[in-house]
Amino acid sequence: MSGQSPVRQGELVLIDLADAEPSTSGGKAAVLARLLGAGLPVPPGFVVPTAAYEAAVAGLDLAEPGAARRRIGELPLAPALVEAISRALARLRHESVAVRSSASGEDTADGTAAGQHDTFLGVSGPEQVAGAVGGCWASLWSERAVGYRRWLATHGPDRSPTMAVLVQRLVDADVAGVLFTGAEVRIEASWGLGESVVGGRVTPDSWTVHGDTVLRRVLGGKANRLDRVRSRVVARAVPLADQERFCLTDEQLGRLVALGRDTADLLGGPQDIEWAIADGRIWLLQARPVTAPPPDAPAAHPGQPRHGRSPAVGTSVLTGTPGSPGIAVGPARVVGGPGDFARVRAGDVLVCRTTDPAWTPLFGVVAAVVTETGGVLSHAAIVAREQGLPAVLSVPGAMAALPDGATVEVDGGTGRVTSA
């Protein structure tokens, strides 16, 4: 759609991604517009601007977040807006799209809001896209998004939220992941769509690069992948041969590092970049400031058990990937899913298989987090670092090795988890 005039229906205007600005399109879309303008590889798309959200919710009582989310989720989009979306999709000329939030206060230097709003992948046709737009709007009032804004307000002004929605051609990724720039470039990647990495569903392959030198490469545990199959995103097992090899070649790694540095130079500081590779071509899907750099990574293989006995009699030591620095002590609370959330008490150490963004409301309650899978560049790890919550990731067998209620010390800087 780049270079095309805006799609209009009555007074509604959908904005070409190349023309997105923060005031109309939110931070995520506006940054992607800058990347497009610099000739960097960004999938084409369009933006449903904040004005559409504000018109839709005008007159609604938003004082109670749960009720606000339900009301917005039940709102039918105006027929004129659905028609405008239909015309914009026709210009994209692609079977499937990604529908993502681009909210005010999102992807800024003050706070990323990483994973706090909903994303919809593999969406096809104007009716499905319209439903996904409404879903993004409603997610502005989810428990996790509201809790994140409350935390953010303790560090700055509390602004009224608004939401633009970004619709882009979906990249059917062979490999995808996250890249952090800085003095060293950190990369995490896995097979298939990047939701596996950002959502902490897998322990990804990881690399640390300084200059032209790869300082560290660690093979992850990439047992599953997400792929689009027609209009659905499905989870599939990764063949053992692919689990046991790195998902990026050295040539791809070099190109990613170069693109990451070009992006950081353009945007004026270290960046947290989501990317995807399809048919050998690299695409940039998102860039935002690095708000809290990760701790140094260990050289050990994250898929191997690293349990042992400490010098103190009767003490067990587990070792994982340092995810968020700090030391905390508390009773282990082994949580299998949202049904166990009510068992979590203030000061507990959350022990779980993984934490997708729906779990982040617990971050305001617990003293530390230990997971069996996930990478340091995942959304949950980013939010833990922003909130100063110690976290150790990718500790195989942690849920069995740490008895519920046992006293646990978590060192998120070294990756050590000690239980009595």
Side-chain angles (χ1 to χ4, degrees), residues 328-334 343-351 366-368 402-410:
V329 178
R333 193 61 59 217
V334 181
R343 297 177 49 243
V344 178
R345 298 291 182 265
D348 284 351
V349 171
L350 174 62
V351 181
V366 300
L402 298 172
D404 199 74
T407 299
V408 175
E409 179 181 276
V410 177

Side-chain angles (χ1 to χ4, degrees), residues 44-217:
F46 60 90
V47 180
V48 180
T50 55
Y53 166 81
E54 290 161 1
V57 302
L60 289 183
D61 181 3
L62 304 178
E64 201 285 303
R69 183 179 191 183
R70 288 191 299 274
R71 292 188 187 107
I72 295 170
E74 293 167 356
L75 285 175
L77 264 65
L81 180 54
V82 177
E83 174 62 23
I85 289 171
S86 178
R87 295 185 182 191
L89 289 173
R91 295 191 180 195
L92 273 184
R93 296 191 301 275
H94 193 70
E95 175 186 357
S96 189
V97 295
V99 182
R100 307 164 66 202
S101 65
S102 185
S104 60
E106 188 175 9
D107 291 356
T108 70
D110 296 323
T112 61
Q116 301 308 296
H117 305 121
D118 288 347
T119 291
F120 300 87
L121 303 177
V123 184
S124 299
E127 294 298 330
Q128 284 191 17
V129 171
V133 168
C136 284
W137 288 349
S139 72
L140 190 63
W141 298 97
S142 68
E143 181 183 0
R144 66 180 186 263
V146 171
Y148 184 87
R149 289 200 299 273
R150 286 174 181 154
W151 168 80
L152 198 61
T154 66
H155 297 74
D158 185 9
R159 302 179 179 91
S160 297
T162 189
M163 172 79 77
V165 178
L166 172 61
V167 180
Q168 283 180 285
R169 181 169 71 82
L170 180 69
V171 177
D172 287 316
D174 303 310
V175 182
V178 184
L179 179 156
F180 272 36
T181 67
E184 296 177 344
V185 175
R186 300 279 293 271
I187 295 176
E188 293 185 343
S190 189
W191 304 110
L193 297 172
E195 288 298 297
S196 292
V197 177
V198 299
R201 302 185 186 203
V202 298
T203 298
D205 295 342
S206 63
W207 295 259
T208 303
V209 181
H210 181 80
D212 295 327
T213 302
V214 179
L215 299 180
R216 183 186 296 109
R217 65 179 81 216

Side-chain angles (χ1 to χ4, degrees), residues 4-30:
Q4 303 288 338
S5 61
V7 179
R8 297 175 182 272
Q9 180 68 25
E11 295 183 356
L12 292 172
V13 179
L14 301 186
I15 298 168
D16 190 290
L17 178 56
D19 301 322
E21 298 179 352
S23 61
T24 60
S25 306
K28 182 179 296 176

